[in-house]
Amino acid sequence: AQSVTQLGSHVSVSEGALVLLRCNYSSSVPPYLFWYVQYPNQGLQLLLKYTTGATLVKGINGFEAEFKKSETSFHLTKPSAHMSDAAEYFCAVSDGSGTYKYIFGTGTRLKVLA
Amino acid sequence: EAQVTQNPRYLITVTGKKLTVTCSQNMNHEYMSWYRQDPGLGLRQIYYSMNVEVTDKGDVPEGYKVSRKEKRNFPLILESPSPNQTSLYFCASSLRISGTSTDTQYFGPGTRLTVL
């Protein structure tokens, strides 16, 4: 069975500092990996995704993530945090074993300090 | 505008009173799914549908039913709601299934359900 682990349920960074949100997955088949963001009182929207090809994936709002198969990781980074980045971030993996399930991590709430 | 809509957005009900939360998408997506979001647990998949008349259980299907009679609609039915089903519910849809996996999902705005 596939799973996703997000380390740190809450992360605080200063405005302008590096953002690093960690995601590790387990999968017996090549995974599709996603990062979604949820702003307060809203649904989720896609930040970026990895399916195949280039392992460094760029997304919206300056975010990027690198798929590292050897480390089973897909960490999300942004070089310089902005106040508007404050939100909850979810890592997700699409089950590639043919069951079409979609598995989310428990989320990381990012706080940006002025 | 391409979107996933859910109704109602907010619902307070009592234990045992059957309810339906509707979900509709206008993007001709094949894949649709229901999730519940609870603090500290993230999103957990309840049911999903690969196409009309094709549905399957997610990780937490107990107490829920779904149907997919039309491509655009995927209602979630709670036949006898209980307080532990108090949660924030999201419907999502996906353009296509790539190989054996799903593609980007587009989420509705959520339905906040309280069962007393």
Side-chain angles (χ1 to χ4, degrees):
Chain A
Q2 295 194 323
S3 66
V4 174
T5 302
Q6 290 185 242
L7 295 175
S9 58
H10 292 82
V11 171
S12 294
V13 299
S14 298
E15 192 174 20
L18 171 72
V19 176
L20 171 61
L21 304 182
R22 299 177 187 275
C23 173
N24 288 87
Y25 70 91
S26 69
S27 175
S28 58
V29 297
Y32 285 18
L33 295 160
F34 306 81
W35 275 100
Y36 285 86
V37 61
Q38 184 181 34
Y39 297 104
N41 300 314
Q42 294 186 26
L44 281 74
Q45 62 184 82
L46 182 72
L47 270 180
L48 50 80
K49 66 180 179 182
Y50 168 79
T51 53
T52 58
T55 55
L56 182 61
V57 180
K58 295 186 184 301
I60 61 171
N61 301 337
F63 285 93
E64 62 182 36
E66 187 170 10
F67 170 59
K68 292 187 176 180
K69 185 178 178 181
S70 60
E71 299 177 8
T72 61
S73 69
F74 192 58
H75 302 330
L76 182 70
T77 60
K78 182 174 181 178
S80 177
H82 192 273
M83 297 297 288
S84 61
D85 294 327
E88 189 155 24
Y89 293 80
F90 293 93
C91 183
V93 60
S94 180
D95 191 326
S97 66
T99 64
Y100 304 106
K101 287 187 176 180
Y102 211 93
I103 300 158
F104 281 82
T106 52
T108 297
R109 188 169 297 278
L110 176 67
K111 187 174 182 179
V112 182
L113 306 171
Chain B
E1 180 189 355
Q3 59 182 350
V4 178
T5 57
Q6 296 178 227
N7 282 292
R9 295 288 312 279
Y10 302 90
L11 179 60
I12 300 174
T13 189
V14 296
T15 298
K17 186 177 181 181
K18 181 178 180 179
L19 66 92
T20 299
V21 184
T22 64
C23 173
S24 183
Q25 50 93 6
N26 62 1
M27 296 171 278
N28 200 35
H29 285 175
E30 294 174 339
Y31 184 92
M32 296 186 74
S33 184
W34 275 102
Y35 299 88
R36 59 178 290 173
Q37 182 179 16
D38 302 289
L41 297 178
L43 276 80
R44 293 179 292 168
Q45 195 169 35
I46 303 171
Y47 271 96
Y48 58 95
S49 169
M50 290 77 78
N51 216 323
V52 175
E53 304 290 3
V54 184
T55 63
D56 207 348
K57 297 177 181 178
D59 289 329
V60 288
E62 294 77 20
Y64 304 94
K65 284 178 60 177
V66 293
S67 67
R68 187 92 180 271
K69 293 181 169 35
E70 304 167 281
K71 198 172 187 177
R72 65 183 292 126
N73 296 321
F74 191 46
L76 179 69
I77 303 158
L78 285 71
E79 297 216 323
S80 184
S82 62
N84 64 12
Q85 293 178 297
T86 293
S87 188
L88 179 58
Y89 291 86
F90 287 102
C91 180
S93 71
S94 173
L95 177 63
R96 71 185 190 277
I97 298 171
S98 307
T100 57
S101 297
T102 56
D103 210 324
T104 304
Q105 290 191 81
Y106 296 85
F107 284 80
T111 295
R112 188 167 292 282
L113 172 65
T114 301
V115 183
L116 303 175

